[in-house]
Amino acid sequence: MAPEKIIIDTDPGVDDILALLLALSASKDEIELLLISLTFGNIDVESCLKNAVSLFHVLEKELAWRKANGRPLGYEALRNHKPVVAVGASQPLDEQLLMADYFHGVDGLGGVHQKAPHFTPEELFRHLFHSPSADSTKIPPDAPTPLPNETLFTPSSSPAHLEILSQLKSNPPHIVTIVAVGPLTNLALAAAHDPETFLLAKEVVIMSGTIDMEGNITPMAEFNAYADAVAASRVFALTSPSPKSTLPPCKSLKAYPENLSSKLNLTIFPLDITTMHLLNEAEFKAITGDLQANGSPLAQWAEVFIYATFRKMESLYAAAAGESAKRVQDVDISLHDPLCVWYMITKHASEWKAVKGRDIRVDATGQWTRGMYVVDRRTRKKPTLEEMQAAGEEEVEGDCDAWLHPLMGNRVNQMVESPYRDTFGGEMLKRIFL
């Protein structure tokens, strides 16, 4: 069976790094990671690049340590195919920039570059990448450092949205899946630049939004959806038989062409499902403790930012309980982003359940509801096109914004059930660290 060819669009914070490690540690028959496209999100895009390059630096050390100690190398997907890394959007399309450095720290990884500087490479090769803030990172032309031949990634000088389109063009149609676990700005830029090429994606899988749970950045919104609600709404519009029916106002990008050849196959993983897939602190200690003691670079590096996240969650639990000074036992981290990659590895399992074709729209302009995933909770029956034509109607009476019109609105697949709720955390750790 051929591996799933994927692009991961990401803003590498803690769970993004775990998602990347899970993809790279897959077998060569499970995943072929073509591209890692970077976007602002939890942190600024330059810090995202630093974290991504550091990830590969640590993996080089880890593979050398495993070989020297007679351990299985693992990481077949990485050793079989060197992914491209491209730098993308530094800010949202039309909105105020928001980052979540209050949670994961200013570097997105709990201060790992200061706490464990020996795991951060001296050379980040910024001169080999397109950079939205090139003036601040430009390296003098007389002092470029070439990328070592043994480095595990290929830098791209193209902006991420163009690199996404390039990967879609260079592979057969409907073969490449885009897994987006940050704000959707890069995807919106790619779709605006060349919508027909963007629609060559087999599927777009995103960690974004919330349907029936409270938000994690506002009462109504999840962070990725809020960080660039215009971009999310534009990507969602491509799932509609009539994209203009849900396209938001956007000063920076033009509308899509009137007639597109196909609709986007979009699957969302909202907080409703991702929050329930957990990594437990005791489980993390049990699997990685001896590896840290025995010198595993990956286990030692990950320990810094994973434990920083456990401590952050502990403080949130304690504050919620009014016990700020008391140690909270048995802390968990939700595996939001890794779950999307796990779906790509295990999507053959019939127990994955999705509600298909839901009309889910993203509020891009609301003062209090920006980034909210809006669904129609009314019990009115949506007429078929044949019923509307027989009645000689173009609109459904009393239906504002065409929620009940059979040719209007979005068609989004919402993942609602996984077979791995109780086992995913441990399985992920074993794949990444053992």
Side-chain angles (χ1 to χ4, degrees):
M1 185 170 62
E4 292 282 349
K5 292 177 179 282
I6 67 171
I7 292 167
I8 296 182
D9 189 76
T10 176
D11 57 332
V14 172
D15 57 336
D16 303 74
I17 288 292
L18 291 174
L20 290 170
L21 287 169
L22 182 58
L24 294 167
S25 65
S27 77
K28 63 182 180 180
D29 297 322
E30 291 173 331
I31 293 290
E32 182 178 335
L33 180 54
L34 304 175
L35 167 66
I36 299 170
S37 54
L38 303 176
T39 178
F40 78 94
N42 292 299
I43 48 176
D44 64 89
V45 75
E46 294 296 335
S47 296
C48 289
L49 175 60
K50 186 174 185 178
N51 292 347
V53 174
S54 297
L55 167 65
F56 286 104
H57 179 69
V58 171
L59 284 175
E60 286 183 7
K61 292 178 175 291
E62 176 71 10
L63 292 176
W65 177 81
R66 291 185 181 190
K67 184 176 181 180
N69 287 273
R71 294 174 177 266
L73 293 180
Y75 285 85
E76 277 191 4
L78 174 60
R79 292 187 291 117
N80 192 60
H81 183 84
K82 183 185 292 190
V84 174
V85 176
V87 177
S90 60
Q91 60 187 19
L93 295 179
D94 285 349
E95 299 161 345
Q96 181 180 359
L97 180 63
L98 172 79
M99 293 185 291
D101 52 12
Y102 65 88
F103 189 88
H104 291 302
V106 294
D107 67 357
L109 292 177
V112 71
H113 301 298
Q114 287 72 42
K115 296 175 183 176
H118 52 292
F119 289 128
T120 302
E122 294 182 8
E123 176 56 69
L124 297 177
F125 311 104
R126 285 188 173 97
H127 60 289
L128 299 178
F129 294 90
H130 162 81
S131 173
S133 53
D135 291 342
S136 65
T137 60
K138 192 173 182 180
I139 293 180
D142 59 342
T145 304
L147 196 69
N149 291 331
E150 67 271 17
T151 300
L152 299 175
F153 68 93
T154 301
S156 172
S157 58
S158 296
H161 72 281
L162 296 183
E163 190 62 55
I164 289 171
L165 294 172
S166 176
Q167 294 289 340
L168 291 172
K169 287 178 182 176
S170 62
N171 284 276
H174 310 301
I175 289 293
V176 177
T177 296
I178 303 172
V179 179
V181 293
L184 297 182
T185 316
N186 285 336
L187 275 63
L189 289 169
H193 186 83
D194 187 348
E196 289 293 353
T197 295
F198 188 75
L199 290 171
L200 294 176
K202 176 182 179 181
E203 185 178 13
V204 172
V205 175
I206 66 170
M207 190 282 120
S208 180
T210 180
I211 306 296
D212 295 314
M213 287 187 64
E214 67 275 11
N216 63 4
I217 189 68
T218 72
M220 296 295 181
E222 178 273 333
F223 174 81
N224 289 338
Y226 184 90
D228 197 341
V230 172
S233 187
R234 287 183 63 93
V235 171
F236 276 50
L238 287 172
T239 69
S240 175
S242 175
K244 67 180 181 181
S245 68
T246 63
L247 202 64
C250 181
K251 298 187 293 287
S252 57
L253 298 178
K254 61 184 181 182
Y256 296 126
E258 189 71 26
N259 296 305
L260 293 170
S261 62
S262 61
K263 299 192 298 292
L264 183 68
N265 180 19
L266 177 65
T267 300
I268 66 168
F269 281 71
L271 293 178
D272 307 64
I273 185 170
T274 62
T275 303
M276 314 307 171
H277 292 74
L278 301 172
L279 172 60
N280 180 266
E281 182 173 7
E283 193 170 29
F284 180 77
K285 287 180 180 178
I287 290 177
T288 65
D290 287 346
L291 294 171
Q292 295 170 31
N294 291 326
S296 161
L298 179 59
Q300 292 177 349
W301 183 63
E303 185 267 346
V304 177
F305 57 82
I306 293 292
Y307 274 99
T309 310
F310 281 133
R311 301 287 72 79
K312 182 65 177 181
M313 292 304 302
E314 181 180 72
S315 69
L316 294 175
Y317 292 158
E323 302 175 347
S324 58
K326 183 179 179 180
R327 176 75 182 238
V328 177
Q329 301 298 318
D330 208 26
V331 182
D332 297 309
I333 300 170
S334 290
L335 298 171
H336 303 292
D337 298 344
L339 188 62
C340 295
V341 173
W342 189 236
Y343 166 69
M344 295 307 304
I345 293 173
T346 65
K347 60 189 305 184
H348 59 276
S350 61
E351 293 87 353
W352 286 106
K353 302 294 183 185
V355 178
K356 296 186 178 295
R358 293 199 75 182
D359 188 359
I360 301 173
R361 309 184 193 184
V362 184
D363 188 349
T365 59
Q367 181 179 1
W368 312 119
T369 55
R370 167 181 155 189
M372 178 182 177
Y373 277 17
V374 183
V375 297
D376 189 352
R377 302 185 188 278
R378 296 174 296 179
T379 57
R380 296 179 64 186
K381 177 180 178 294
K382 178 178 287 194
T384 66
L385 182 60
E386 292 75 15
E387 288 171 341
M388 287 190 64
Q389 290 172 338
E393 297 176 354
E394 293 185 0
E395 298 180 357
V396 178
E397 184 177 355
D399 181 40
C400 184
D401 293 323
W403 285 91
L404 299 179
H405 195 291
L407 294 180
M408 304 293 184
N410 297 328
R411 306 289 188 271
V412 177
N413 304 319
Q414 178 194 346
M415 194 61 63
V416 295
E417 188 175 326
S418 109
Y420 303 102
R421 176 170 171 173
D422 298 326
T423 60
F424 175 44
E427 182 65 27
M428 180 193 73
L429 292 177
K430 292 173 185 176
R431 281 175 170 255
I432 290 173
F433 293 105
L434 299 182

